[in-house]
Amino acid sequence: MKKPIEPFRIKSVEAIPYISREEREKIIKEAGYNVFLISSDKIYIDLLTDSGTSAMSDNQWAGLMHGDESYAGSRNYFHFEETIRELTGFKYIIPTHQGRVTENLLFSVIMKPGQLIPNNSHFDTTRANVEAKGGIAKDLLYPWAHEPDYEHPFKGNINLEALEALIQETGAENIPLGMITVTNNSGGGQPVAMDNIRSASEIYHKYGIPLFLDACRFAENAWFIKSRDPKYHNTSIRDIVLEMFSYADGCTMSAKKDGLVNIGGFLALNNAEWNERISNQLILIEGFPTYGGLAGRDLEAISRGLKEVVDERYLEYRIGQIAAIGEMLDGFGIPYVRPAGGHAIYIDAKRFLPHIPPHQFPAQALVAALFVEGGIRGVEIGSLMFGSADPKTGKFQAPQNELVRLAVPRRVYSYLHLEYVVQALAEIYKKRDKIKGLRLVYEAPALRHFTARLAEID
Ligand code: PLI
């Protein structure tokens, strides 16, 4: 196995606590088997999300000292604007404090109730923002993209035939905008091929529909295009990125991912009228258009992060970390969504714990077991997040997959940390028959996985 070697050395470290197994057993019970309810000082390796959890470089930290905190016209905004224009080619750059407010701004200005937004897969917040404004969020993956074992180099591709059929059925006038999420987070962190982005763009544009990329992990997607599509082996990441964006009319971005920062986002677009309307709305809810809810120093850290993220040695190491977890899991026969994604590994809990039925939350049981075994925090994407009772029959409706996402923060954990995670999983795998299902003790009316409390079933 080619081990991912860090293209950086360490200048500052943060101690992480390690509490005993006995304490962890007590804590998981007290937290109702929900790791969202455990304080981070009880976690040894935190793989809950790759969002806002990156380590910044010395250059980014130095950038904070160059913060110009003027209310209007801060020099950091102009650096931010120039960097994003160079990367994406888009004309207008609107700063925001994170991805979901970007979505809120976009849909509140350009979408009418009853209209439809197609995507390969909407991320939760994108779907929630479309639906909150009365729209319909439609996911259009190929059927094989839902099969954990199906190997495809670009499993995040949008289903082109389904897209064209949907546009014809719905009528282009009812689709104010189409999207593609790169990489496809909800579908396993899987990349989208350049040919797929180009073809989807042609379809959208044939019907006069603008295309926006959800660009959170644009650089990771570009790395997959470079390494998996022979036509791009000799193209630079910057050129691949520019080509990806050239097929789109704009993008939404949470800089908490490929911006390599802890907070920030932006909307970039070419349409002058939309820019004006969205900027006016921005003033209402985020701030003046040259800071958009961020400090000048944050804008500077993002500009610098966006330049670092397209470094090919960084991306080789970054994607290599996830691939290495996959190869280690293969050694133990532990099932996961294949191939390994860009920012996370998704363990297939349905096959890991076949004795636990969906209504007893197998993926959440595995999340809890991983905390007890190694102080490791992952996130459930299964029956707790998406399952529900049929309103008429009361019968439990399970989602297609029961997954545990282990998202790797950028530049934070070493190869040994990752090995430790896989070893903990392997220990659980050996004694998997002993893992018990869970039952709900408390659930909130919406987004219940954040606050639910559960208990073990004896
Ligand atoms: O967390 P935000 O509001 O900065 O970004 C929202 C968001 C939009 N699109 C995609 C593809 C995301 O992955 C995303 C946030 N993702 C989180 C928080 C995650 O844990 O994956």
Side-chain angles (χ1 to χ4, degrees), residues 7 33 127 147 269 278 310 346 418 422 427-428 434 454:
Y33 293 82
R127 170 176 294 279
E147 305 288 335
L269 71 169
I278 293 170
V310 289
Y346 296 65
L418 304 181
V422 173
E427 280 306 310
I428 303 171
K434 309 252 173 333
L454 303 102

Side-chain angles (χ1 to χ4, degrees), residues 23 65 78 86 171 183 187 234 244 281 322 349 380 389 406 439:
E23 282 177 273
M65 287 305 291
F78 297 112
E86 262 176 32
T183 57
N234 298 320
M244 279 164 49
Q281 181 71 5
I322 316 297
E380 192 255 17
L406 303 175
R439 66 183 163 83

Side-chain angles (χ1 to χ4, degrees), residues 123-138:
F123 180 66
D124 322 7
T125 60
T126 324
R127 170 176 294 279
N129 271 298
V130 169
E131 290 174 355
K133 310 279 172 244
I136 303 157
K138 188 85 185 155

Side-chain angles (χ1 to χ4, degrees), residues 19-34 37-39 42 371:
I19 60 172
S20 70
R21 185 182 184 103
E22 291 68 43
E23 282 177 273
R24 295 198 295 263
E25 280 169 354
K26 204 167 142 254
I27 287 166
I28 196 77
K29 273 198 193 110
E30 284 168 4
Y33 293 82
N34 186 346
L37 305 180
I38 299 177
S39 63
K42 305 288 186 289
F371 172 73

